[in-house]
Amino acid sequence: MKIDDYSDNTTLIESLKNGDETAYTYLIDTYHHKLCVYANSLVKNVYSAEDIVQNVFIKVWEQRTRLKTDHSLKSFLYKLVYNEFIDLYRKNQSLFSLEKSYYDALNGIVQEDDSEAFQRVLNAVNKEIQNLPPKCKEVFILSKKEGLTNIEIAEHLDVSIKTVEAQITKAFSILRNSLEEKVKSVLFLLFGAKKKFRLNN
């Protein structure tokens, strides 16, 4: 079979189900880098991302006989990466705590079958944060991206706690009005609770 034939979703899945190692090599060559980029957008660690993707490819080969030809293999791969991401953090609660609502929101984005969807959401949020008024942005970043408490921010900036609270409230108000619904929902899942979450600058 020619390599080009594997570009067809059904052909590739059938070949994998039949134990075609050439098809498996094609799958890895085609999706390894893309999946690593996506995984890294979730874990922010290139080594963890590579481990996640490696586990995904192992699972695909082990479960190849159960693949369904009427399902998008690409979508399946990204969903597996997402599941590995969730499993990783469920095992490492001390490193990062994710709430069920956050899992669900991320899952909804992943199911769009778009490898860059999650990163686009983060980029959109970050862009609007950068557009906040200077003082407002400074307080918001210290609170929601650096994880400082309101008291720590007040001491750091030499302002009152009420000023800090007012600036954070103002930031949320501005972001609520400037972001589209889907992005807005993720924003409040990421920053609504008192947790630290990193976005790329």
Side-chain angles (χ1 to χ4, degrees):
M1 183 179 294
K2 296 179 180 179
I3 291 294
D4 289 345
D5 294 336
Y6 294 127
S7 62
D8 176 71
N9 184 75
T10 301
T11 300
L12 180 56
I13 291 176
E14 288 290 359
S15 298
L16 290 171
K17 292 178 71 171
N18 292 329
D20 185 339
E21 293 185 6
T22 304
Y24 185 59
T25 299
Y26 172 86
L27 182 75
I28 294 174
D29 289 344
T30 302
Y31 290 105
H32 183 272
H33 177 69
K34 296 176 182 177
L35 293 178
C36 282
V37 170
Y38 173 65
N40 190 50
S41 76
L42 298 174
V43 299
K44 305 298 183 188
N45 183 296
V46 65
Y47 300 109
S48 295
E50 289 177 355
D51 286 343
I52 285 174
V53 173
Q54 182 179 351
N55 289 340
V56 164
F57 283 123
I58 290 172
K59 286 185 177 181
V60 169
W61 184 251
E62 291 176 343
Q63 301 173 16
R64 63 187 183 280
T65 58
R66 286 182 276 172
L67 294 172
K68 297 181 180 180
T69 55
D70 59 340
H71 289 176
S72 166
L73 188 55
K74 175 183 175 182
S75 179
F76 179 62
L77 289 171
Y78 284 109
K79 184 63 182 297
L80 283 179
V81 169
Y82 165 79
N83 289 341
E84 286 290 317
F85 162 64
I86 295 302
D87 289 342
L88 173 66
Y89 281 111
R90 281 176 175 163
K91 294 173 184 175
N92 296 279
Q93 287 294 320
S94 61
L95 296 179
F96 194 78
S97 180
L98 291 173
E99 298 168 357
K100 184 178 184 304
S101 57
Y102 181 39
Y103 303 158
D104 294 340
L106 291 179
N107 190 30
I109 296 171
V110 173
Q111 288 178 342
E112 291 182 346
D113 191 21
D114 185 342
S115 63
E116 299 180 350
F118 181 73
Q119 192 59 49
R120 285 205 308 272
V121 169
L122 293 186
N123 289 343
V125 172
N126 193 62
K127 180 181 178 181
E128 294 305 323
I129 290 174
Q130 296 304 316
N131 289 334
L132 289 170
K135 282 295 182 184
C136 192
K137 178 175 71 173
E138 183 178 26
V139 170
F140 187 84
I141 288 175
L142 288 173
S143 173
K144 302 305 180 180
K145 292 176 69 175
E146 299 303 326
L148 299 184
T149 65
N150 288 358
I151 294 175
E152 289 172 332
I153 296 170
E155 292 176 349
H156 177 68
L157 299 179
D158 194 23
V159 297
S160 69
I161 295 177
K162 286 187 177 297
T163 296
V164 172
E165 293 174 347
Q167 292 290 354
I168 292 175
T169 299
K170 180 180 178 181
F172 272 119
S173 177
I174 293 172
L175 293 170
R176 184 187 297 116
N177 292 327
S178 62
L179 295 170
E180 59 183 72
E181 285 302 316
K182 181 182 296 182
V183 180
K184 189 191 306 181
S185 66
V186 175
L187 165 77
F188 287 100
L189 286 170
L190 294 179
F191 297 124
K194 291 184 178 179
K195 67 179 75 171
K196 179 179 177 180
F197 190 92
R198 290 193 178 278
L199 291 175
N200 290 331
N201 288 324

